[in-house]
Amino acid sequence: MASKVAGELYESITGQLFEVGRQLRQPNGYPFNPNQLKQALQKVIEGKFDGTSTATQSKPVEHGVLKAHGSATVGPLKKKFDPKEFFQNRTGLYLWDSFSNRILPNTTVQKPTGKVKLTSFDLTRNAYDCEIKAELSAKHEVELWHIGKLIEGQPDGKDGPLLNNGYANIFYVGGLVVFVYWHAGSAKWHVRDWRLDVGFWDAGRRVFSRN
């Protein structure tokens, strides 16, 4: 299992490595057997601190950031969906200025269409967008009407596919990230957007992807 090394432990280990280098550079030569040093260092590199590799003793480590949660079907869309009409500040919905100014101006009206299945994942650890997107399908971006229908299906923050505990529900739209969360204090779904990788997402947040 990988371990982060920092602080005093990091300084102590690097200090020991520098000391080995200092001994090798001594004018009178290295005071011990250099071949044995070489063999010992190779064992350290391979994690064989007691003659057995720790890698063979540890359980496999999952390096992914996403854990499959479930799926949600939106639609069919029986009438046109105009993002500019749906995404407005009103009862149960609040838009941050960045979303109104950066996302909405570039939208178009969606014509009636069939059902779409979205897959949801929960973050197992803190992660940046690049890490998340690397584990999603190539066509993972969603459309605003998908988000609108999910919000519409959970009025008053009721239970459903969207997290309603204040945690972010993450969607990738048009090269940006849109996130939706229930704000109990105002009794509204809040909708915001960010540019990719401006910060990391905390573990426990939910990601939605188009199949």
Side-chain angles (χ1 to χ4, degrees):
M1 179 179 295
S3 301
K4 291 185 177 180
V5 181
E8 291 184 3
L9 180 58
Y10 174 84
E11 296 297 332
S12 176
I13 292 174
T14 54
Q16 290 173 308
L17 293 174
F18 281 127
E19 173 58 20
V20 172
R22 186 195 67 79
Q23 291 180 359
L24 290 172
R25 293 192 300 271
Q26 289 185 109
N28 295 330
Y30 181 62
F32 308 106
N33 188 317
N35 291 319
Q36 289 182 343
L37 171 65
K38 183 176 183 296
Q39 294 174 3
L41 288 175
Q42 184 60 40
K43 289 181 179 180
V44 169
I45 291 170
E46 296 173 1
K48 297 177 180 178
F49 303 118
D50 58 356
T52 304
S53 173
T54 56
T56 61
Q57 298 172 340
S58 303
K59 294 181 179 179
V61 178
E62 294 184 4
H63 296 288
V65 300
L66 299 178
K67 179 182 179 181
H69 171 263
S71 62
T73 299
V74 293
L77 195 60
K78 296 182 179 180
K79 59 181 181 179
K80 69 178 184 179
F81 179 91
D82 187 343
K84 295 183 179 69
E85 290 181 2
F86 181 88
F87 290 102
Q88 296 186 22
N89 290 318
R90 52 184 167 85
T91 300
L93 188 64
Y94 177 80
L95 308 183
W96 287 68
D97 289 342
S98 61
F99 179 85
S100 299
N101 298 332
R102 187 156 48 198
I103 296 290
L104 289 183
N106 300 315
T107 60
T108 58
V109 175
Q110 172 64 50
K111 296 179 180 179
T113 187
K115 296 180 180 179
V116 173
K117 183 179 179 181
L118 303 178
T119 302
S120 60
F121 304 86
D122 289 340
L123 282 175
T124 60
R125 62 172 175 82
N126 298 351
Y128 288 91
D129 294 304
C130 59
E131 297 176 277
I132 297 171
K133 289 166 68 71
E135 296 184 25
L136 299 176
S137 66
K139 298 181 179 180
H140 58 269
E141 290 199 344
V142 306
E143 298 179 25
L144 288 180
W145 76 266
H146 303 157
I147 301 174
K149 286 300 178 182
L150 287 174
I151 293 173
E152 202 173 58
Q154 293 181 233
D156 303 316
K158 74 175 188 178
D159 291 339
L162 296 173
L163 290 172
N164 58 359
N165 59 355
Y167 282 10
N169 297 278
I170 302 165
F171 305 84
Y172 293 102
V173 181
L176 297 170
V177 56
V178 172
F179 60 105
V180 177
Y181 61 95
W182 176 251
H183 189 271
S186 62
K188 293 182 178 183
W189 288 104
H190 284 220
V191 183
R192 299 185 64 178
D193 83 296
W194 277 351
R195 288 189 170 87
L196 299 179
D197 294 313
V198 297
F200 63 78
W201 299 99
D202 291 329
R205 277 55 182 173
R206 185 162 295 167
V207 180
F208 287 82
S209 170
R210 190 169 185 171
N211 291 342

